[in-house]
Amino acid sequence: MITVRVTAIADETDTVKSFRLVRSDGAPLGPYPPGAHIDVTGPTGITRQYSLCGPPYETDSFLVAIKRETPSRGGSDAMHDTVRVGSELRISEPRNLFGLASGAAEHVLVGAGIGITPLLAMAHQLHREGRDFRLHYFASARERAAFQDLLEGSGFAGRVRFHFGVPRHGQQAALDAILSDLDPDQDADPNFGTHVYTCGPKEFMQRVTATASRSLPEDRVHIEHFQPPDPSGGSGEEFELELGTGEVFTVPADRSIVDVLAENGFDVDTSCREGICGTCVLPVLEGEPDHRDNCLTRKEKAANDQIATCVSRARGPRLVIDF
Ligand code: FES
């Protein structure tokens, strides 16, 4: 973990504040890959994940924007109410589960609400590299759109289209219109053609994904998750967990792999413990994981060679992991 100091706080909207962070030891922060997030441990000791939203190529500071959640899961209230300029926080190195496709011909960024944050970093980077992109930003009202002034005054303002006050029942028509001209370019290399990236409320991202997937292969539609996976899958069956070193443990229906390993003296690095951050992912040597996380990509899940051990389980009676 890195200790950082808050050097500026800005009210981006009435519910969103941005925090500029510099290393307390004066060393540079960044550059970082656009789309990356960091773990931030706030004043209450609760760790949450926030996307970095400043220009990724700058190395003097990180910028995060935090929306006050209602109800708060414990992190956002403390950041809004307790953290001041000069406060110190602990952060992780940036991790990127939402990267830009390096060879894509065009990037279409579609965000809603606080989901603008990783897309803003992507827009900075794409503009700097002279790449072809467009950014669609949905917000309930102009005054609820964080970074609206920054976007309108940016060098890429002409690539940004705002969609203010689109009612939920009107979202599909708006998405049909903006995602109707995607270049499918069915080249075998999944990096080519148009790529779509979306971040925002779960239902919004599902709509964007379904709409874009009418024209694009699914590996060209990228999703950033701010929420833990849907727990409706339940706890699941008991299974046998074997380590690469030969130890064997039983994982009961109501315990996670991380829990069972900890009880037996094996500590897996964790952060969110909700299947979001990717810290606890370990290689799978044998068996089929029952993926219940939101941190591995669809492609990574299909490969079945790694598992988020804080939430995911086994599909069969036995799983062997490299630990
Ligand atoms: S600890 Fe974050 S995904 Fe498991």
Side-chain angles (χ1 to χ4, degrees):
M1 297 290 276
I2 304 164
T3 303
V4 294
R5 186 165 39 82
V6 177
T7 59
I9 301 175
D11 289 314
E12 302 295 345
T13 71
D14 58 354
T15 58
V16 176
K17 285 182 189 286
S18 65
F19 299 81
R20 189 163 292 283
L21 312 172
V22 301
R23 277 185 74 126
S24 296
D25 62 8
L29 279 172
Y32 66 88
H37 67 269
I38 53 173
D39 297 342
V40 178
T41 303
T44 55
I46 291 175
T47 298
R48 292 285 179 249
Q49 289 69 46
Y50 299 109
S51 294
L52 293 168
C53 53
Y57 41 83
E58 291 183 353
T59 57
D60 58 338
S61 63
F62 281 164
L63 187 69
V64 293
I66 299 176
K67 181 180 180 185
R68 187 192 288 276
E69 298 296 343
T70 317
S72 171
R73 291 190 294 135
S76 64
D77 274 356
M79 289 296 295
H80 274 244
D81 298 336
T82 313
V83 173
R84 301 282 180 262
V85 170
S87 295
E88 287 203 321
L89 303 168
R90 302 273 288 160
I91 67 169
S92 69
E93 293 284 353
R95 273 194 299 275
N96 199 8
L97 304 164
F98 190 49
L100 287 168
S102 56
E106 183 195 26
H107 305 264
V108 181
L109 318 177
V110 189
I114 194 64
I116 189 63
T117 49
L119 305 181
L120 182 55
M122 289 175 163
H124 280 301
Q125 186 73 33
L126 291 165
H127 174 63
R128 179 182 167 93
E129 293 177 3
R131 310 276 293 280
D132 191 5
F133 77 96
R134 46 195 158 119
L135 169 58
H136 292 275
Y137 184 4
F138 289 72
S140 56
R142 172 170 284 271
E143 63 274 16
R144 292 274 168 83
F147 301 114
Q148 173 219 322
D149 290 345
L150 183 154
L151 287 164
E152 288 181 332
S154 71
F156 50 88
R159 294 183 176 276
V160 181
R161 172 129 180 253
F162 294 98
H163 304 264
F164 295 131
V166 178
R168 198 165 288 189
H169 65 265
Q171 274 180 2
Q172 188 58 58
L175 293 174
D176 286 342
I178 66 177
L179 298 173
S180 62
D181 59 344
L182 303 178
D183 169 15
D185 187 353
Q186 300 289 348
D187 191 292
D189 187 331
N191 262 329
F192 295 158
T194 297
H195 282 241
V196 171
Y197 309 78
T198 184
C199 186
K202 187 174 173 185
E203 187 187 337
F204 178 83
M205 292 193 294
Q206 286 171 340
R207 281 206 174 111
V208 172
T209 305
T211 309
S213 298
R214 286 188 213 144
S215 338
L216 300 180
E218 68 170 27
D219 53 9
R220 293 187 192 168
V221 184
H222 309 267
I223 301 173
E224 172 68 307
H225 293 282
F226 275 111
Q227 293 171 334
D230 184 346
S232 58
S235 53
E237 300 292 321
E238 173 182 299
F239 61 96
E240 193 172 84
L241 177 72
E242 184 173 332
L243 308 187
T245 47
E247 290 95 335
V248 180
F249 308 106
T250 298
V251 181
D254 61 347
R255 308 289 289 159
S256 70
I257 295 174
V258 163
D259 291 338
V260 169
L261 289 177
E263 286 159 9
N264 289 281
F266 296 91
D267 282 333
V268 179
D269 284 343
T270 59
S271 176
C272 70
R273 288 186 171 246
E274 292 183 312
I276 304 174
C277 71
T279 307
C280 68
V281 170
L282 291 173
V284 171
L285 301 175
E286 279 181 54
E288 185 182 350
D290 176 7
H291 296 291
R292 298 179 176 201
D293 62 275
N294 272 343
C295 59
L296 296 176
T297 64
R298 278 169 291 182
K299 205 170 174 180
E300 287 168 337
K301 286 176 181 170
N304 279 334
D305 58 1
Q306 44 187 333
I307 183 169
T309 52
C310 66
V311 291
S312 295
R313 306 184 61 81
R315 281 204 185 281
R318 179 168 167 269
L319 193 71
V320 185
I321 60 172
D322 187 6
F323 187 74

